[in-house]
Amino acid sequence: MSKIYVGNLPWSTNNEKLELAFAEHGQITDHIVMSDRETGRSRGFGFVTFASAEEAEAAIAAKNDFELDGRRITVNMANPRPQQRGW
DNA sequence: GTTGAGCGTT
């Protein structure tokens, strides 16, 4: 399992579009676009988890600096979080 | 407009 960070997303990108954009590169086991919980507006970044590192790397190679809806998106391995539970 | 929400523990 390998998680990638997807940043610089257009506001128009939602969970569904994120999956559609990355499903072609491998088996996605999890995906989420982070949105501001109070405004409902996208924060402009999200995460996609692939079943294998090979697929994740393929997605990074294919989508990093890829123009989506007029924006060059950033794709790379996600930052490891300090703790698992987040609290 | 760039590295998580949500669960109240899994």
Side-chain angles (χ1 to χ4, degrees):
Chain A
M1 208 137 93
S2 193
K3 184 177 288 189
I4 61 175
Y5 163 85
V6 187
N8 202 41
L9 291 170
W11 299 132
S12 57
T13 303
N14 54 29
N15 286 297
E16 201 172 332
K17 289 186 177 181
L18 189 67
E19 180 180 20
L20 285 173
F22 285 87
E24 55 186 301
H25 303 296
Q27 181 67 51
I28 296 178
T29 58
D30 188 36
H31 59 101
I32 185 171
V33 170
M34 300 313 302
S35 48
D36 193 304
R37 205 171 54 78
E38 300 182 11
T39 67
R41 191 69 62 183
S42 169
R43 288 178 60 184
F45 72 94
F47 296 91
V48 176
T49 303
F50 282 96
S52 73
E54 291 77 24
E55 293 166 333
E57 285 168 13
I60 291 172
K63 297 294 186 184
N64 188 35
D65 202 37
F66 176 82
E67 187 172 313
L68 182 63
D69 277 0
R71 296 193 65 84
R72 300 271 177 160
I73 66 175
T74 297
V75 184
N76 51 236
M77 290 297 178
N79 234 350
R81 279 190 297 165
Q83 53 183 76
Q84 295 242 298
R85 298 309 310 168
W87 52 279

